[in-house]
Amino acid sequence: MNENYVLPIDGDWTTQDIIIVTNFINSVLGVYEKGSSREEVIKNYDAYRKIMPAKSEQKKFDKDFERQTGHSVYKTIKFVQNSTKDRVRL
């Protein structure tokens, strides 16, 4: 995985918005790297969706993120949502 990736930041986002999206991405990466709390990933996903509510924006973001990292936000979230474990890892 490329450790140096660039998140597609919207110019209208506040500093808090950027922090929320970064926290979400870190929780997604955590699922692959060391495992993450299912509850934390879902909480961060809900916050992310408030920043980026449009599905088209989310798909574009996911496609760019997957191109850079090899990990899909969509597939990760589906895995986490369907999991019954407190700690999730792919």
PDB file of all heavy atoms in Angstrom, residues 53-82:
ATOM      1  N   PRO A  53     -22.861  13.820   2.095  1.00  0.00           N
ATOM      2  CA  PRO A  53     -24.116  13.061   2.057  1.00  0.00           C
ATOM      3  C   PRO A  53     -24.478  12.474   0.687  1.00  0.00           C
ATOM      4  O   PRO A  53     -25.189  11.478   0.622  1.00  0.00           O
ATOM      5  CB  PRO A  53     -25.166  14.081   2.504  1.00  0.00           C
ATOM      6  CG  PRO A  53     -24.573  15.404   2.167  1.00  0.00           C
ATOM      7  CD  PRO A  53     -23.087  15.239   2.289  1.00  0.00           C
ATOM      8  N   ALA A  54     -23.997  13.068  -0.392  1.00  0.00           N
ATOM      9  CA  ALA A  54     -24.372  12.603  -1.731  1.00  0.00           C
ATOM     10  C   ALA A  54     -23.652  11.300  -2.073  1.00  0.00           C
ATOM     11  O   ALA A  54     -22.427  11.204  -1.946  1.00  0.00           O
ATOM     12  CB  ALA A  54     -24.047  13.670  -2.769  1.00  0.00           C
ATOM     13  N   LYS A  55     -24.413  10.307  -2.509  1.00  0.00           N
ATOM     14  CA  LYS A  55     -23.829   9.011  -2.881  1.00  0.00           C
ATOM     15  C   LYS A  55     -22.808   9.176  -4.005  1.00  0.00           C
ATOM     16  O   LYS A  55     -21.797   8.490  -4.024  1.00  0.00           O
ATOM     17  CB  LYS A  55     -24.920   8.030  -3.322  1.00  0.00           C
ATOM     18  CG  LYS A  55     -25.801   7.564  -2.202  1.00  0.00           C
ATOM     19  CD  LYS A  55     -25.082   6.579  -1.326  1.00  0.00           C
ATOM     20  CE  LYS A  55     -26.047   6.039  -0.287  1.00  0.00           C
ATOM     21  NZ  LYS A  55     -25.365   5.307   0.754  1.00  0.00           N
ATOM     22  N   SER A  56     -23.069  10.094  -4.936  1.00  0.00           N
ATOM     23  CA  SER A  56     -22.132  10.291  -6.050  1.00  0.00           C
ATOM     24  C   SER A  56     -20.780  10.790  -5.540  1.00  0.00           C
ATOM     25  O   SER A  56     -19.738  10.365  -6.029  1.00  0.00           O
ATOM     26  CB  SER A  56     -22.705  11.272  -7.079  1.00  0.00           C
ATOM     27  OG  SER A  56     -22.947  12.536  -6.488  1.00  0.00           O
ATOM     28  N   GLU A  57     -20.798  11.679  -4.544  1.00  0.00           N
ATOM     29  CA  GLU A  57     -19.547  12.158  -3.940  1.00  0.00           C
ATOM     30  C   GLU A  57     -18.822  11.022  -3.231  1.00  0.00           C
ATOM     31  O   GLU A  57     -17.598  10.904  -3.321  1.00  0.00           O
ATOM     32  CB  GLU A  57     -19.828  13.258  -2.915  1.00  0.00           C
ATOM     33  CG  GLU A  57     -20.153  14.599  -3.483  1.00  0.00           C
ATOM     34  CD  GLU A  57     -20.386  15.601  -2.355  1.00  0.00           C
ATOM     35  OE1 GLU A  57     -21.319  15.377  -1.550  1.00  0.00           O
ATOM     36  OE2 GLU A  57     -19.633  16.573  -2.282  1.00  0.00           O
ATOM     37  N   GLN A  58     -19.589  10.212  -2.511  1.00  0.00           N
ATOM     38  CA  GLN A  58     -19.002   9.089  -1.780  1.00  0.00           C
ATOM     39  C   GLN A  58     -18.364   8.093  -2.750  1.00  0.00           C
ATOM     40  O   GLN A  58     -17.272   7.595  -2.496  1.00  0.00           O
ATOM     41  CB  GLN A  58     -20.066   8.385  -0.942  1.00  0.00           C
ATOM     42  CG  GLN A  58     -20.568   9.211   0.221  1.00  0.00           C
ATOM     43  CD  GLN A  58     -21.698   8.529   0.966  1.00  0.00           C
ATOM     44  OE1 GLN A  58     -21.833   7.309   0.945  1.00  0.00           O
ATOM     45  NE2 GLN A  58     -22.530   9.314   1.626  1.00  0.00           N
ATOM     46  N   LYS A  59     -19.038   7.822  -3.870  1.00  0.00           N
ATOM     47  CA  LYS A  59     -18.505   6.883  -4.859  1.00  0.00           C
ATOM     48  C   LYS A  59     -17.222   7.422  -5.480  1.00  0.00           C
ATOM     49  O   LYS A  59     -16.255   6.679  -5.668  1.00  0.00           O
ATOM     50  CB  LYS A  59     -19.535   6.608  -5.946  1.00  0.00           C
ATOM     51  CG  LYS A  59     -20.654   5.708  -5.503  1.00  0.00           C
ATOM     52  CD  LYS A  59     -21.643   5.468  -6.613  1.00  0.00           C
ATOM     53  CE  LYS A  59     -22.796   4.607  -6.140  1.00  0.00           C
ATOM     54  NZ  LYS A  59     -23.753   4.356  -7.218  1.00  0.00           N
ATOM     55  N   LYS A  60     -17.204   8.704  -5.790  1.00  0.00           N
ATOM     56  CA  LYS A  60     -16.011   9.320  -6.371  1.00  0.00           C
ATOM     57  C   LYS A  60     -14.848   9.262  -5.367  1.00  0.00           C
ATOM     58  O   LYS A  60     -13.719   8.933  -5.724  1.00  0.00           O
ATOM     59  CB  LYS A  60     -16.299  10.765  -6.768  1.00  0.00           C
ATOM     60  CG  LYS A  60     -15.151  11.458  -7.428  1.00  0.00           C
ATOM     61  CD  LYS A  60     -15.499  12.871  -7.814  1.00  0.00           C
ATOM     62  CE  LYS A  60     -14.274  13.561  -8.379  1.00  0.00           C
ATOM     63  NZ  LYS A  60     -14.448  14.979  -8.518  1.00  0.00           N
ATOM     64  N   PHE A  61     -15.144   9.589  -4.125  1.00  0.00           N
ATOM     65  CA  PHE A  61     -14.140   9.548  -3.067  1.00  0.00           C
ATOM     66  C   PHE A  61     -13.598   8.130  -2.916  1.00  0.00           C
ATOM     67  O   PHE A  61     -12.391   7.912  -2.836  1.00  0.00           O
ATOM     68  CB  PHE A  61     -14.763  10.041  -1.752  1.00  0.00           C
ATOM     69  CG  PHE A  61     -13.796  10.175  -0.622  1.00  0.00           C
ATOM     70  CD1 PHE A  61     -13.149  11.371  -0.388  1.00  0.00           C
ATOM     71  CD2 PHE A  61     -13.547   9.110   0.231  1.00  0.00           C
ATOM     72  CE1 PHE A  61     -12.258  11.503   0.669  1.00  0.00           C
ATOM     73  CE2 PHE A  61     -12.661   9.234   1.289  1.00  0.00           C
ATOM     74  CZ  PHE A  61     -12.012  10.435   1.501  1.00  0.00           C
ATOM     75  N   ASP A  62     -14.513   7.148  -2.875  1.00  0.00           N
ATOM     76  CA  ASP A  62     -14.118   5.746  -2.713  1.00  0.00           C
ATOM     77  C   ASP A  62     -13.249   5.286  -3.878  1.00  0.00           C
ATOM     78  O   ASP A  62     -12.224   4.633  -3.672  1.00  0.00           O
ATOM     79  CB  ASP A  62     -15.354   4.858  -2.593  1.00  0.00           C
ATOM     80  CG  ASP A  62     -15.021   3.396  -2.324  1.00  0.00           C
ATOM     81  OD1 ASP A  62     -13.919   3.112  -1.797  1.00  0.00           O
ATOM     82  OD2 ASP A  62     -15.862   2.535  -2.620  1.00  0.00           O
ATOM     83  N   LYS A  63     -13.626   5.641  -5.093  1.00  0.00           N
ATOM     84  CA  LYS A  63     -12.859   5.224  -6.268  1.00  0.00           C
ATOM     85  C   LYS A  63     -11.437   5.784  -6.212  1.00  0.00           C
ATOM     86  O   LYS A  63     -10.468   5.069  -6.461  1.00  0.00           O
ATOM     87  CB  LYS A  63     -13.557   5.698  -7.544  1.00  0.00           C
ATOM     88  CG  LYS A  63     -12.901   5.179  -8.818  1.00  0.00           C
ATOM     89  CD  LYS A  63     -13.665   5.620 -10.044  1.00  0.00           C
ATOM     90  CE  LYS A  63     -14.880   4.746 -10.167  1.00  0.00           C
ATOM     91  NZ  LYS A  63     -15.594   4.934 -11.433  1.00  0.00           N
ATOM     92  N   ASP A  64     -11.308   7.045  -5.842  1.00  0.00           N
ATOM     93  CA  ASP A  64      -9.986   7.669  -5.737  1.00  0.00           C
ATOM     94  C   ASP A  64      -9.180   7.030  -4.606  1.00  0.00           C
ATOM     95  O   ASP A  64      -8.004   6.721  -4.758  1.00  0.00           O
ATOM     96  CB  ASP A  64     -10.129   9.173  -5.525  1.00  0.00           C
ATOM     97  CG  ASP A  64      -8.784   9.881  -5.537  1.00  0.00           C
ATOM     98  OD1 ASP A  64      -7.986   9.630  -6.456  1.00  0.00           O
ATOM     99  OD2 ASP A  64      -8.540  10.680  -4.614  1.00  0.00           O
ATOM    100  N   PHE A  65      -9.831   6.801  -3.481  1.00  0.00           N
ATOM    101  CA  PHE A  65      -9.166   6.187  -2.327  1.00  0.00           C
ATOM    102  C   PHE A  65      -8.703   4.770  -2.673  1.00  0.00           C
ATOM    103  O   PHE A  65      -7.575   4.382  -2.367  1.00  0.00           O
ATOM    104  CB  PHE A  65     -10.130   6.171  -1.134  1.00  0.00           C
ATOM    105  CG  PHE A  65      -9.543   5.590   0.114  1.00  0.00           C
ATOM    106  CD1 PHE A  65      -8.606   6.295   0.855  1.00  0.00           C
ATOM    107  CD2 PHE A  65      -9.926   4.336   0.551  1.00  0.00           C
ATOM    108  CE1 PHE A  65      -8.059   5.755   2.015  1.00  0.00           C
ATOM    109  CE2 PHE A  65      -9.392   3.796   1.703  1.00  0.00           C
ATOM    110  CZ  PHE A  65      -8.460   4.505   2.435  1.00  0.00           C
ATOM    111  N   GLU A  66      -9.553   4.002  -3.335  1.00  0.00           N
ATOM    112  CA  GLU A  66      -9.195   2.626  -3.694  1.00  0.00           C
ATOM    113  C   GLU A  66      -8.048   2.607  -4.711  1.00  0.00           C
ATOM    114  O   GLU A  66      -7.154   1.761  -4.630  1.00  0.00           O
ATOM    115  CB  GLU A  66     -10.402   1.886  -4.253  1.00  0.00           C
ATOM    116  CG  GLU A  66     -10.133   0.427  -4.503  1.00  0.00           C
ATOM    117  CD  GLU A  66     -11.376  -0.371  -4.855  1.00  0.00           C
ATOM    118  OE1 GLU A  66     -12.433   0.228  -5.140  1.00  0.00           O
ATOM    119  OE2 GLU A  66     -11.291  -1.613  -4.856  1.00  0.00           O
ATOM    120  N   ARG A  67      -8.051   3.545  -5.632  1.00  0.00           N
ATOM    121  CA  ARG A  67      -6.974   3.632  -6.620  1.00  0.00           C
ATOM    122  C   ARG A  67      -5.629   3.859  -5.927  1.00  0.00           C
ATOM    123  O   ARG A  67      -4.630   3.273  -6.293  1.00  0.00           O
ATOM    124  CB  ARG A  67      -7.262   4.758  -7.607  1.00  0.00           C
ATOM    125  CG  ARG A  67      -6.208   4.937  -8.698  1.00  0.00           C
ATOM    126  CD  ARG A  67      -6.493   6.116  -9.603  1.00  0.00           C
ATOM    127  NE  ARG A  67      -6.683   7.376  -8.910  1.00  0.00           N
ATOM    128  CZ  ARG A  67      -5.709   8.116  -8.371  1.00  0.00           C
ATOM    129  NH1 ARG A  67      -4.471   7.715  -8.428  1.00  0.00           N
ATOM    130  NH2 ARG A  67      -5.980   9.257  -7.775  1.00  0.00           N
ATOM    131  N   GLN A  68      -5.648   4.696  -4.888  1.00  0.00           N
ATOM    132  CA  GLN A  68      -4.411   5.040  -4.198  1.00  0.00           C
ATOM    133  C   GLN A  68      -3.964   3.996  -3.178  1.00  0.00           C
ATOM    134  O   GLN A  68      -2.765   3.792  -2.981  1.00  0.00           O
ATOM    135  CB  GLN A  68      -4.560   6.386  -3.478  1.00  0.00           C
ATOM    136  CG  GLN A  68      -4.705   7.561  -4.420  1.00  0.00           C
ATOM    137  CD  GLN A  68      -4.726   8.858  -3.650  1.00  0.00           C
ATOM    138  OE1 GLN A  68      -3.790   9.192  -2.946  1.00  0.00           O
ATOM    139  NE2 GLN A  68      -5.815   9.604  -3.775  1.00  0.00           N
ATOM    140  N   THR A  69      -4.914   3.357  -2.507  1.00  0.00           N
ATOM    141  CA  THR A  69      -4.568   2.477  -1.391  1.00  0.00           C
ATOM    142  C   THR A  69      -4.809   0.995  -1.655  1.00  0.00           C
ATOM    143  O   THR A  69      -4.272   0.147  -0.947  1.00  0.00           O
ATOM    144  CB  THR A  69      -5.365   2.851  -0.123  1.00  0.00           C
ATOM    145  OG1 THR A  69      -6.757   2.586  -0.361  1.00  0.00           O
ATOM    146  CG2 THR A  69      -5.154   4.292   0.265  1.00  0.00           C
ATOM    147  N   GLY A  70      -5.681   0.714  -2.608  1.00  0.00           N
ATOM    148  CA  GLY A  70      -6.060  -0.675  -2.848  1.00  0.00           C
ATOM    149  C   GLY A  70      -7.187  -1.147  -1.945  1.00  0.00           C
ATOM    150  O   GLY A  70      -7.577  -2.308  -1.993  1.00  0.00           O
ATOM    151  N   HIS A  71      -7.719  -0.249  -1.110  1.00  0.00           N
ATOM    152  CA  HIS A  71      -8.806  -0.590  -0.183  1.00  0.00           C
ATOM    153  C   HIS A  71     -10.067   0.176  -0.559  1.00  0.00           C
ATOM    154  O   HIS A  71     -10.019   1.363  -0.866  1.00  0.00           O
ATOM    155  CB  HIS A  71      -8.430  -0.239   1.253  1.00  0.00           C
ATOM    156  CG  HIS A  71      -7.185  -0.906   1.735  1.00  0.00           C
ATOM    157  ND1 HIS A  71      -6.962  -2.261   1.628  1.00  0.00           N
ATOM    158  CD2 HIS A  71      -6.084  -0.396   2.326  1.00  0.00           C
ATOM    159  CE1 HIS A  71      -5.780  -2.558   2.144  1.00  0.00           C
ATOM    160  NE2 HIS A  71      -5.226  -1.442   2.567  1.00  0.00           N
ATOM    161  N   SER A  72     -11.195  -0.507  -0.495  1.00  0.00           N
ATOM    162  CA  SER A  72     -12.476   0.100  -0.826  1.00  0.00           C
ATOM    163  C   SER A  72     -13.227   0.514   0.438  1.00  0.00           C
ATOM    164  O   SER A  72     -13.450  -0.310   1.332  1.00  0.00           O
ATOM    165  CB  SER A  72     -13.335  -0.894  -1.614  1.00  0.00           C
ATOM    166  OG  SER A  72     -14.666  -0.447  -1.712  1.00  0.00           O
ATOM    167  N   VAL A  73     -13.619   1.778   0.482  1.00  0.00           N
ATOM    168  CA  VAL A  73     -14.439   2.265   1.596  1.00  0.00           C
ATOM    169  C   VAL A  73     -15.761   1.509   1.604  1.00  0.00           C
ATOM    170  O   VAL A  73     -16.209   1.022   2.642  1.00  0.00           O
ATOM    171  CB  VAL A  73     -14.679   3.793   1.472  1.00  0.00           C
ATOM    172  CG1 VAL A  73     -15.713   4.268   2.479  1.00  0.00           C
ATOM    173  CG2 VAL A  73     -13.378   4.563   1.635  1.00  0.00           C
ATOM    174  N   TYR A  74     -16.379   1.389   0.438  1.00  0.00           N
ATOM    175  CA  TYR A  74     -17.684   0.730   0.328  1.00  0.00           C
ATOM    176  C   TYR A  74     -17.623  -0.709   0.840  1.00  0.00           C
ATOM    177  O   TYR A  74     -18.440  -1.119   1.667  1.00  0.00           O
ATOM    178  CB  TYR A  74     -18.166   0.764  -1.126  1.00  0.00           C
ATOM    179  CG  TYR A  74     -19.451   0.017  -1.348  1.00  0.00           C
ATOM    180  CD1 TYR A  74     -20.672   0.585  -0.999  1.00  0.00           C
ATOM    181  CD2 TYR A  74     -19.454  -1.267  -1.881  1.00  0.00           C
ATOM    182  CE1 TYR A  74     -21.865  -0.112  -1.182  1.00  0.00           C
ATOM    183  CE2 TYR A  74     -20.629  -1.961  -2.075  1.00  0.00           C
ATOM    184  CZ  TYR A  74     -21.841  -1.384  -1.726  1.00  0.00           C
ATOM    185  OH  TYR A  74     -23.004  -2.072  -1.903  1.00  0.00           O
ATOM    186  N   LYS A  75     -16.655  -1.486   0.352  1.00  0.00           N
ATOM    187  CA  LYS A  75     -16.541  -2.890   0.759  1.00  0.00           C
ATOM    188  C   LYS A  75     -16.229  -3.013   2.247  1.00  0.00           C
ATOM    189  O   LYS A  75     -16.738  -3.907   2.922  1.00  0.00           O
ATOM    190  CB  LYS A  75     -15.464  -3.590  -0.063  1.00  0.00           C
ATOM    191  CG  LYS A  75     -15.863  -3.772  -1.512  1.00  0.00           C
ATOM    192  CD  LYS A  75     -14.737  -4.360  -2.323  1.00  0.00           C
ATOM    193  CE  LYS A  75     -15.097  -4.416  -3.796  1.00  0.00           C
ATOM    194  NZ  LYS A  75     -13.958  -4.843  -4.631  1.00  0.00           N
ATOM    195  N   THR A  76     -15.420  -2.099   2.752  1.00  0.00           N
ATOM    196  CA  THR A  76     -15.084  -2.117   4.176  1.00  0.00           C
ATOM    197  C   THR A  76     -16.320  -1.864   5.020  1.00  0.00           C
ATOM    198  O   THR A  76     -16.580  -2.580   5.993  1.00  0.00           O
ATOM    199  CB  THR A  76     -14.001  -1.072   4.489  1.00  0.00           C
ATOM    200  OG1 THR A  76     -12.865  -1.315   3.665  1.00  0.00           O
ATOM    201  CG2 THR A  76     -13.608  -1.114   5.955  1.00  0.00           C
ATOM    202  N   ILE A  77     -17.094  -0.853   4.652  1.00  0.00           N
ATOM    203  CA  ILE A  77     -18.293  -0.519   5.418  1.00  0.00           C
ATOM    204  C   ILE A  77     -19.308  -1.652   5.360  1.00  0.00           C
ATOM    205  O   ILE A  77     -19.917  -2.003   6.375  1.00  0.00           O
ATOM    206  CB  ILE A  77     -18.902   0.821   4.939  1.00  0.00           C
ATOM    207  CG1 ILE A  77     -17.951   1.964   5.285  1.00  0.00           C
ATOM    208  CG2 ILE A  77     -20.287   1.051   5.526  1.00  0.00           C
ATOM    209  CD1 ILE A  77     -17.603   2.071   6.773  1.00  0.00           C
ATOM    210  N   LYS A  78     -19.494  -2.254   4.207  1.00  0.00           N
ATOM    211  CA  LYS A  78     -20.426  -3.384   4.099  1.00  0.00           C
ATOM    212  C   LYS A  78     -19.969  -4.536   5.005  1.00  0.00           C
ATOM    213  O   LYS A  78     -20.781  -5.154   5.685  1.00  0.00           O
ATOM    214  CB  LYS A  78     -20.539  -3.870   2.651  1.00  0.00           C
ATOM    215  CG  LYS A  78     -21.344  -2.947   1.794  1.00  0.00           C
ATOM    216  CD  LYS A  78     -22.739  -2.840   2.347  1.00  0.00           C
ATOM    217  CE  LYS A  78     -23.521  -1.741   1.704  1.00  0.00           C
ATOM    218  NZ  LYS A  78     -24.691  -1.333   2.465  1.00  0.00           N
ATOM    219  N   PHE A  79     -18.672  -4.808   5.013  1.00  0.00           N
ATOM    220  CA  PHE A  79     -18.128  -5.859   5.882  1.00  0.00           C
ATOM    221  C   PHE A  79     -18.401  -5.540   7.351  1.00  0.00           C
ATOM    222  O   PHE A  79     -18.865  -6.393   8.108  1.00  0.00           O
ATOM    223  CB  PHE A  79     -16.629  -6.023   5.631  1.00  0.00           C
ATOM    224  CG  PHE A  79     -15.952  -6.927   6.612  1.00  0.00           C
ATOM    225  CD1 PHE A  79     -16.080  -8.303   6.516  1.00  0.00           C
ATOM    226  CD2 PHE A  79     -15.197  -6.405   7.659  1.00  0.00           C
ATOM    227  CE1 PHE A  79     -15.469  -9.142   7.432  1.00  0.00           C
ATOM    228  CE2 PHE A  79     -14.586  -7.238   8.570  1.00  0.00           C
ATOM    229  CZ  PHE A  79     -14.718  -8.604   8.464  1.00  0.00           C
ATOM    230  N   VAL A  80     -18.117  -4.303   7.741  1.00  0.00           N
ATOM    231  CA  VAL A  80     -18.289  -3.887   9.137  1.00  0.00           C
ATOM    232  C   VAL A  80     -19.766  -3.949   9.532  1.00  0.00           C
ATOM    233  O   VAL A  80     -20.112  -4.440  10.611  1.00  0.00           O
ATOM    234  CB  VAL A  80     -17.709  -2.472   9.359  1.00  0.00           C
ATOM    235  CG1 VAL A  80     -18.096  -1.921  10.721  1.00  0.00           C
ATOM    236  CG2 VAL A  80     -16.198  -2.493   9.202  1.00  0.00           C
ATOM    237  N   GLN A  81     -20.646  -3.463   8.668  1.00  0.00           N
ATOM    238  CA  GLN A  81     -22.077  -3.465   8.973  1.00  0.00           C
ATOM    239  C   GLN A  81     -22.628  -4.886   9.118  1.00  0.00           C
ATOM    240  O   GLN A  81     -23.541  -5.115   9.912  1.00  0.00           O
ATOM    241  CB  GLN A  81     -22.858  -2.707   7.897  1.00  0.00           C
ATOM    242  CG  GLN A  81     -22.643  -1.212   7.943  1.00  0.00           C
ATOM    243  CD  GLN A  81     -23.287  -0.478   6.781  1.00  0.00           C
ATOM    244  OE1 GLN A  81     -23.460  -1.025   5.697  1.00  0.00           O
ATOM    245  NE2 GLN A  81     -23.626   0.777   7.008  1.00  0.00           N
ATOM    246  N   ASN A  82     -22.088  -5.813   8.353  1.00  0.00           N
ATOM    247  CA  ASN A  82     -22.580  -7.194   8.399  1.00  0.00           C
ATOM    248  C   ASN A  82     -21.918  -8.040   9.478  1.00  0.00           C
ATOM    249  O   ASN A  82     -22.345  -9.142   9.757  1.00  0.00           O
ATOM    250  CB  ASN A  82     -22.388  -7.868   7.033  1.00  0.00           C
ATOM    251  CG  ASN A  82     -23.302  -7.272   5.986  1.00  0.00           C
ATOM    252  OD1 ASN A  82     -24.424  -6.865   6.289  1.00  0.00           O
ATOM    253  ND2 ASN A  82     -22.838  -7.200   4.764  1.00  0.00           N
TER     254      ASN A  82
END
